Amino acid sequence: MIYEETYHYLLRNVSSTEFDTCLYSLLHSDWDGVIQSPLHMMASGVGTTEKYLKQIIKKFTSPQGCLQKVFVPVGQGGDVLYKFNLGPTSNLGFNSKTDRYCKKYRFFYSEAFKNLTIHAKRLLLMGAFRMSVTKSEEVLFDYSEIVPDSSSLFTRQRLLDAIDTVHKTLGNLVTISFASKAFSKKEAVVFTFNEGMLEQYMENRAERAFLRRTIFNTGFLGHISDSVCMELERVGRYIFRSFLQDAKKSGISMDIQHELLKLARFVYTYSLKKLGLALPANKHLLAAPNRHPLI
């Protein structure tokens, strides 16, 4: 999900390629927020060079005034990976009933979107975020929400240019128009997304990639089907929840909860490795995963 903290950061603090880097990171982060993607794959997915991506990573891992770091280096399996540090991870701090977020809609990852200007990307993100929160494919902004004053991100001309760019590039998915509110007569900006757009979002498969890679690295070269992966992920979620459930009820500090998450990750990873070592002699476990205790 694109959480509210990340949403506000993207609206104000990134270039066009940095915008795409953050979106890619969110799609490829595991339960702990660690981006499960090597540099060359990340550069290809973002649509930039490894050299420029390294510059972005350097910026994101450096202090930015009062802003927190976007990436935090972490060691994992002998490699240096990066944790996406904006917003809660899926295992800690996120409340689906109260937290506002935007789904990772498919058009965010299209070549058409990557080629948009930064203002067009910001405008579409604003519309998509409100669509996700309201669960409506038609959303409205007061004009003053987008252009509050002369020092805002958008001037009227920037807004008009962004709308024109969106229509030329992604007009088959969304229409942005001006309207007058019926009672106040104030000017409004209306986003009309295609019917069904709410359900056209990308699924994060980073945790599944981690699972398969962990088992592969034990020497088991067989295919781990999606059905088996889903059973293993179910067990993994149980491990994480069991470590945190009582801690949250007891009001234990966030630092200790983070340490418990590290321990849960260790237990889950160790269990996957043990399973990988046992699989060559027990391939029947892969035939009907819901009938066997795989971990």
Side-chain angles (χ1 to χ4, degrees):
M1 302 299 179
I2 304 171
Y3 300 115
E4 195 162 14
E5 182 180 350
T6 308
Y7 165 74
H8 288 299
Y9 183 86
L10 290 176
L11 288 183
R12 294 191 170 274
N13 301 288
V14 295
S15 67
S16 182
T17 306
E18 290 166 356
F19 195 112
D20 297 333
T21 301
C22 288
L23 290 180
Y24 179 92
S25 302
L26 289 169
L27 186 61
H28 295 85
S29 297
D30 65 19
W31 294 336
D32 302 313
V34 177
I35 306 163
Q36 294 290 334
S37 183
L39 187 67
H40 70 279
M41 288 182 61
M42 192 172 183
S44 176
V46 171
T48 189
T49 63
E50 289 186 41
K51 181 179 179 180
Y52 186 50
L53 181 60
K54 288 178 181 177
Q55 294 177 21
I56 293 174
I57 291 173
K58 183 178 180 180
K59 173 187 172 180
F60 281 177
T61 53
S62 302
Q64 301 178 46
C66 62
L67 299 174
Q68 69 182 78
K69 297 177 182 179
V70 181
F71 287 173
V72 175
V74 294
Q76 193 174 92
D79 298 322
V80 176
L81 299 177
Y82 297 93
K83 178 179 178 179
F84 190 78
N85 198 39
L86 297 178
T89 64
S90 59
N91 278 317
L92 185 65
F94 171 60
N95 187 328
S96 60
K97 295 181 180 179
T98 60
D99 290 347
R100 287 154 47 98
Y101 61 86
C102 178
K103 294 179 180 179
K104 298 183 288 288
Y105 294 109
R106 290 187 178 276
F107 66 80
F108 284 141
Y109 300 92
S110 66
E111 288 302 315
F113 184 85
K114 292 174 187 176
N115 290 327
L116 291 176
T117 63
I118 184 60
H119 289 300
K121 288 180 180 180
R122 287 168 174 161
L123 187 64
L124 261 183
L125 177 62
M126 291 176 71
F129 191 90
R130 185 156 294 186
M131 172 174 67
S132 195
V133 170
T134 62
K135 296 180 173 56
S136 171
E137 285 147 355
E138 184 171 70
V139 296
L140 178 148
F141 289 82
D142 285 341
Y143 177 78
S144 59
E145 290 183 84
I146 301 176
V147 189
D149 52 54
S150 59
S151 63
S152 63
L153 287 172
F154 284 98
T155 61
R156 186 171 186 88
Q157 189 57 54
R158 284 178 178 173
L159 175 58
L160 292 172
D161 290 344
I163 292 173
D164 184 57
T165 300
V166 169
H167 285 166
K168 287 179 179 177
T169 309
L170 289 168
N172 59 318
L173 301 179
V174 60
T175 301
I176 307 172
S177 58
F178 289 93
S180 177
K181 297 181 76 171
F183 296 102
S184 65
K185 301 300 182 182
K186 289 182 178 180
E187 192 171 26
V189 180
V190 180
F191 292 72
T192 305
F193 290 91
N194 283 1
E195 185 178 354
M197 187 67 71
L198 271 168
E199 302 307 318
Q200 295 179 28
Y201 55 87
M202 301 288 280
E203 294 282 356
N204 186 329
R205 290 287 182 257
E207 194 63 43
R208 190 159 299 177
F210 169 83
L211 184 160
R212 284 180 166 134
R213 184 169 65 252
T214 300
I215 293 178
F216 177 82
N217 287 341
T218 66
F220 181 73
L221 305 182
H223 175 65
I224 309 296
S225 68
D226 282 338
S227 60
V228 170
C229 286
M230 285 187 282
E231 285 297 311
L232 294 173
E233 288 165 359
R234 179 181 60 79
V235 175
R237 290 190 189 95
Y238 173 79
I239 292 172
F240 276 88
R241 283 197 298 267
S242 63
F243 271 72
L244 285 177
Q245 193 170 27
D246 291 336
K248 288 183 177 181
K249 290 179 180 178
S250 303
I252 290 175
S253 72
M254 291 295 289
D255 287 343
I256 295 178
Q257 289 187 44
H258 279 293
E259 291 303 314
L260 287 171
L261 278 180
K262 291 179 183 178
L263 184 57
R265 172 62 69 182
F266 171 81
V267 170
Y268 181 49
T269 303
Y270 180 77
S271 300
L272 290 176
K273 290 177 180 178
K274 291 279 287 184
L275 174 66
L277 292 172
L279 279 176
N282 296 276
K283 292 183 179 180
H284 63 282
L285 293 176
L286 301 177
N290 59 334
R291 297 181 184 176
H292 301 286
L294 290 176
I295 295 183

